[in-house]
């Protein structure tokens, strides 16, 4: 929750899904389509980066009680 | 009283009687073991632990002095099935007997099996296992809370599975004993910690395989209640495939093993990658498809009859305009030529009309009083006459 301004992976993926849905809608104009394409490209890069940079982090939240 | 009590000299006082009872009890019930369910567990301000050990027929007040509790590291919660060891003590001022506890252990297997069935039936009747209480798990958890012992294989299994499957996750480990009498209270604290802090997307409580006694903390009522009260989705993963614990029934989801808990909690990164690739392909395909569609449409329009007809009309119009321009310029130049010819002939004729022409041929012009006399009627006799030749004018 450190990257507050950036969307979470899930949010980005959801937005990408909705872009695909809208692109597949026949009612769309060419200008909209190009705009959506650019946004889709950006989101897919963003998601990909998160996936490829991911590294499991582990933190113990209470004191060890041995 | 129907009969008079016989008079005796040695009737004991309450103190004397209680002293007898005390010595009788304390001598005979020294260093004993007793099994039952802990209830009404309370810690006094001085740190002593008071509780009642009970079964369906009787109750036994118990106390664990603070020093003992600290030395043994004992934590208790209500509902735990335990064996306690210690001495019976009679406290004369209150006329009460109680057990001074110096040892606490989990109850034996027979007792545990019975307690398991009883608690399961009780919680089921209360509706704690109902599906309506089950929370949905998050699809893409960012942070996962794990309540288990950090030294166990269970935690290693969860960790390595998450590393492979969903390394995006951050794991918050609440270290708790998962075996023995202290385990249940520690697990409860772990669950309550995450439920209160809400710093994770879901909680996994887990331990690896073992005997019924080993797995017992997850069958304690306190753990079951904490799982039920937990405000976050919770997966219970206790023991092996064949082991079911009470926490499994109450949890939002039961995992057969710690590894499976990590699998159920997370999406597979490879599937997510493929899904992402697919989404991107669809974005590209649709956009390119649309651009191509418009290109084709524009091309088709350019070749359409309507447009060709327009082009032909325009060509025709252009040709007409050129034709008219040509004709206009042709006619203009024609007219100019005509006028030029007319002018030339006029000039020519003008040349012929030159009044001096006859003089050139030797004719003489007669002037009188500055006027050209062109006929005899205009002539005045006896007036001075001026004759004009080609080369000279002479007055006579």
């Amino acid at each position: 929750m450190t990257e507050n301004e950036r969307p979470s992976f899930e949010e980005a993926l959801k937005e990408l899904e909705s872009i695909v849905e809208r692109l597949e809608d026949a009612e769309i104009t060419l200008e909209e389509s190009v705009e959506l394409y650019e946004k889709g490209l950006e989101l897919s890069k963003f998601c990909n980066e998160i996936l490829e940079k991911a590294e499991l982090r582990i933190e113990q939240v209470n004191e060890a009680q041995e | 009283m129907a009969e008079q009590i016989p008079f005796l000299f040695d009737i004991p006082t309450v103190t004397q009687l209680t002293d007898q009872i005390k010595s009788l009890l304390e001598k005979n019930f020294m260093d004993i073991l007793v099994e039952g369910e802990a209830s009404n567990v309370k810690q006094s301000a001085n740190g002593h632990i008071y509780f009642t050990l009970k079964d369906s027929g009787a109750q036994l007040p118990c106390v664990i002095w603070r020093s003992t509790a600290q030395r043994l590291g004992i934590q208790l919660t209500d509902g735990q099935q335990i064996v306690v060891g210690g001495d019976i003590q009679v406290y004369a001022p209150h006329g009460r007997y109680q057990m001074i506890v110096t040892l606490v252990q989990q109850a034996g297997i027979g007792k545990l099996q019975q307690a398991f069935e009883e608690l399961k039936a009780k919680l089921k009747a209360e509706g704690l296992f109902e599906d309506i209480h089950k929370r949905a798990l998050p699809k893409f958890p960012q942070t996962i809370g794990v309540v288990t012992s950090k030294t166990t294989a269970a935690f290693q299994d969860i960790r390595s599975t998450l590393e492979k499957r969903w390394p995006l996750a951050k794991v918050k480990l609440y270290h708790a004993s998962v075996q023995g009498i202290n385990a249940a209270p520690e697990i409860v604290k772990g669950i309550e910690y995450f439920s209160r802090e809400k710093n994770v997307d879901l909680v996994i409580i887990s331990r690896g395989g073992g005997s019924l006694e080993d797995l017992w903390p997850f069958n304690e009522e306190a753990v079951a209640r904490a799982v039920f009260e937990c405000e976050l989705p919770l997966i219970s993963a206790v023991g092996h495939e064949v082991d079911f614990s009470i926490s499994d029934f109450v949890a939002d989801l039961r995992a057969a093993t710690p590894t499976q808990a990590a699998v159920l909690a997370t999406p597979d990164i490879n599937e997510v990658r493929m899904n992402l690739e697919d989404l991107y392909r669809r974005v590209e395909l649709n956009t390119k498809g649309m651009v191509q569609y418009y290109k084709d449409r524009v091309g088709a329009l350019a070749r359409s009859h309507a447009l060709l007809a327009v082009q032909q009309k325009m060509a025709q119009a252009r040709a007409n305009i050129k034709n008219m321009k040509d004709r206009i310029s042709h006619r203009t130049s024609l007219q100019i030529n005509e006028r030029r010819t007319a002018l030339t002939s006029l000039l020519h004729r003008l040349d012929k009309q030159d009044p001096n022409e006859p003089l050139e041929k030797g004719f003489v012009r007669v002037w009188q009083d500055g006027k050209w006399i062109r006929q005899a009627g205009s002539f005045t006799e006896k007036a001075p006459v001026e004759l004009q030749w080609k080369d000279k004018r002479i007055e006579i």
Side-chain angles (χ1 to χ4, degrees):
Chain A
M1 333 242 163
T2 46
E3 298 115 351
N4 279 331
E5 311 86 51
R6 300 206 305 169
S8 72
F9 178 82
E10 188 170 8
E11 286 165 348
L13 193 69
K14 263 191 193 154
E15 201 181 340
L16 182 57
E17 278 169 350
S18 86
I19 280 177
V20 171
E21 259 172 46
R22 280 164 65 195
L23 273 174
E24 287 173 353
D25 181 358
E27 298 294 308
I28 196 171
T29 68
L30 185 61
E31 284 86 350
E32 280 172 318
S33 149
V34 170
E35 216 168 89
L36 288 172
Y37 171 76
E38 281 169 2
K39 187 72 189 160
L41 189 69
E42 190 185 306
L43 285 167
S44 107
K45 270 186 186 163
F46 172 77
C47 288
N48 211 43
E49 204 165 301
I50 290 183
L51 286 179
E52 299 316 318
K53 278 188 178 170
E55 207 174 298
L56 191 72
R57 287 165 295 167
I58 294 172
E59 173 202 344
Q60 188 177 334
V61 293
N62 63 327
E63 294 291 311
Q65 300 166 350
E66 299 298 332
Chain B
M1 296 281 169
E3 271 177 73
Q4 182 68 36
I5 297 167
F7 183 80
L8 290 169
F9 284 102
D10 54 351
I11 294 179
T13 62
V14 176
T15 302
Q16 287 166 340
L17 179 68
T18 305
D19 280 349
Q20 283 180 30
I21 292 172
K22 184 177 169 75
S23 79
L24 210 67
L25 280 183
E26 291 185 356
K27 241 182 261 166
N28 283 289
F29 297 100
M30 214 189 240
D31 207 11
I32 52 154
L33 292 174
V34 57
E35 191 176 63
E37 179 187 327
S39 66
N40 211 16
V41 179
K42 278 177 193 146
Q43 191 154 25
S44 77
N46 290 327
H48 309 314
I49 299 172
Y50 294 92
F51 63 100
T52 306
L53 195 68
K54 65 171 190 183
D55 58 22
S56 56
Q59 299 192 355
L60 174 67
C62 298
V63 58
I64 309 171
W65 302 125
R66 184 176 70 180
S67 57
T68 311
Q70 279 174 349
R71 182 161 41 83
L72 300 179
I74 291 170
Q75 298 188 51
L76 273 184
T77 55
D78 288 352
Q80 283 187 293
Q81 297 295 329
I82 51 177
V83 171
V84 300
D87 309 317
I88 293 292
Q89 186 217 37
V90 174
Y91 186 56
H94 289 176
R96 272 166 50 102
Y97 70 96
Q98 62 186 353
M99 179 129 173
I100 309 297
V101 177
T102 51
L103 172 85
V104 181
Q105 279 181 348
Q106 210 160 251
I109 190 156
K111 187 79 191 164
L112 293 182
Q113 267 161 352
Q114 190 194 337
F116 180 92
E117 293 307 330
E118 280 170 11
L119 182 60
K120 190 178 157 190
K122 177 180 160 189
L123 297 183
K124 190 176 182 185
E126 279 186 42
L128 266 65
F129 305 162
E130 301 282 330
D131 282 346
I132 51 158
H133 300 304
K134 309 285 185 206
R135 288 168 204 274
L137 300 183
K139 227 174 148 188
F140 301 98
Q142 290 189 316
T143 316
I144 299 171
V146 179
V147 180
T148 191
S149 167
K150 63 176 174 182
T151 55
T152 57
F155 183 59
Q156 291 315 312
D157 288 349
I158 289 173
R159 179 190 184 139
S160 64
T161 307
L162 289 178
E163 262 164 7
K164 264 186 287 176
R165 259 182 90 80
W166 195 236
L168 280 70
K170 185 172 177 188
V171 174
K172 287 187 187 284
L173 169 69
Y174 190 100
H175 173 72
S177 317
V178 289
Q179 174 168 339
I181 201 74
N182 289 348
E186 286 181 22
I187 292 164
V188 167
K189 278 185 196 161
I191 296 168
E192 285 173 350
Y193 165 81
F194 286 125
S195 182
R196 185 176 62 243
E197 298 293 325
K198 305 226 173 22
N199 52 359
V200 294
D201 299 322
L202 86 154
V203 180
I204 296 173
I205 62 172
S206 188
R207 67 150 288 143
S211 64
L212 179 63
E213 288 99 322
D214 291 340
L215 307 185
W216 190 253
F218 294 88
N219 293 320
E220 294 284 7
E221 185 168 355
V223 171
R225 299 271 176 207
V227 168
F228 185 73
E229 296 297 329
C230 181
E231 291 176 26
L232 300 168
L234 185 144
I235 299 175
S236 167
V238 181
H240 295 308
E241 307 277 347
V242 292
D243 304 316
F244 276 84
S245 63
I246 300 287
S247 63
D248 288 345
F249 296 118
V250 186
D252 298 306
L253 196 64
R254 180 232 178 202
T257 61
T259 299
Q260 206 206 347
V263 170
L264 292 174
T266 55
D268 179 355
I269 190 168
N270 290 322
E271 275 174 29
V272 175
R273 278 187 180 120
M274 284 192 287
N275 180 28
L276 192 60
E277 285 295 292
D278 181 49
L279 285 174
Y280 175 66
R281 256 199 303 277
R282 279 159 72 189
V283 165
E284 209 176 39
L285 214 70
N286 277 292
T287 313
K288 287 192 172 158
M290 178 155 288
V291 170
Q292 191 58 49
Y293 165 77
Y294 278 108
K295 268 188 188 164
D296 290 350
R297 235 177 104 176
V298 169
L301 282 174
R303 288 187 302 275
S304 76
H305 274 303
L307 214 64
L308 281 179
V310 171
Q311 282 176 342
Q312 277 170 353
K313 268 187 193 165
M314 281 172 67
Q316 186 65 55
R318 265 197 294 275
N320 285 345
I321 289 168
K322 186 171 184 308
N323 187 14
M324 283 192 281
K325 258 164 95 183
D326 287 354
R327 279 164 63 192
I328 288 168
S329 72
H330 182 67
R331 177 162 301 172
T332 311
S333 66
L334 219 63
Q335 281 178 347
I336 289 171
N337 280 343
E338 269 170 23
R339 302 260 160 86
R340 192 171 285 146
T341 312
L343 187 65
T344 313
S345 90
L346 275 175
L347 285 173
H348 191 64
R349 279 167 63 196
L350 207 59
D351 274 354
K352 284 190 177 156
Q353 297 296 316
D354 189 350
N356 293 333
E357 175 94 358
L359 300 186
E360 295 294 327
K361 291 177 180 163
F363 292 93
V364 173
R365 185 177 287 148
V366 177
W367 299 83
Q368 247 180 345
D369 200 16
K371 285 179 188 157
W372 180 14
I373 305 300
R374 303 168 83 162
Q375 49 198 15
S378 307
F379 188 73
T380 317
E381 284 178 50
K382 294 178 184 153
V385 171
E386 201 178 346
L387 299 178
Q388 181 186 10
W389 286 269
K390 174 176 90 173
D391 50 346
K392 204 168 177 182
R393 285 169 78 146
I394 294 172
E395 215 171 311
I396 345 174

